[in-house]
Amino acid sequence: MADETLQVINNEAAHRFEVRLGDEVAFAEYRREPDAIVFPHTVVPPAFSGRGVGGMLVQAGLAWAQELGLLVKPTCPFFHAYIAKRPELHDRVHPSMREGLKTP
């Protein structure tokens, strides 16, 4: 369950989405390409456990990509797993990466 007191910010200078809790920072790095946004790495420290922060980071990344009219390349295992479990999000993934999203 997402914690409403936590907010995701797009730290464009660092090329990542972030959520802060005291001195702790959860983040999802990104890299823009001409036709997509690559999400290669996500870190969610133990202090965020059970707050839905990982999902918040993925949702923020997907929303931003949609706003820019770009597809995503979820090379980060967490991003990939999150999207793979939600077939309604598969159309937001770059065609070069959709094959790996099939669910059993």
Side-chain angles (χ1 to χ4, degrees):
M1 173 180 249
D3 187 331
E4 297 301 320
T5 62
L6 298 174
Q7 294 185 347
V8 179
I9 63 153
N10 183 356
N11 182 342
E12 291 190 60
H15 304 284
R16 66 189 200 175
F17 287 92
E18 300 176 343
V19 176
R20 294 185 178 275
L21 180 63
D23 292 336
E24 298 282 346
V25 181
F27 62 88
E29 295 175 351
Y30 63 80
R31 181 180 69 249
R32 287 185 62 173
E33 293 183 347
D35 65 342
I37 300 175
V38 179
F39 289 95
H41 188 60
T42 302
V43 173
V44 179
F48 294 93
S49 183
R51 295 177 181 240
V53 171
M56 291 169 61
L57 292 166
V58 174
Q59 291 168 11
L62 290 170
W64 188 57
Q66 187 171 28
E67 184 180 309
L68 296 175
L70 298 172
L71 297 174
V72 299
K73 292 182 177 178
T75 60
C76 163
F78 182 82
F79 255 79
H80 185 273
Y82 184 95
I83 294 169
K85 291 177 188 175
R86 295 162 177 83
E88 69 277 10
L89 299 177
H90 292 189
D91 64 340
R92 297 194 191 176
V93 174
H94 193 275
S96 67
M97 297 198 69
R98 286 187 188 157
E99 181 68 25
L101 294 174
K102 290 184 179 174
T103 53

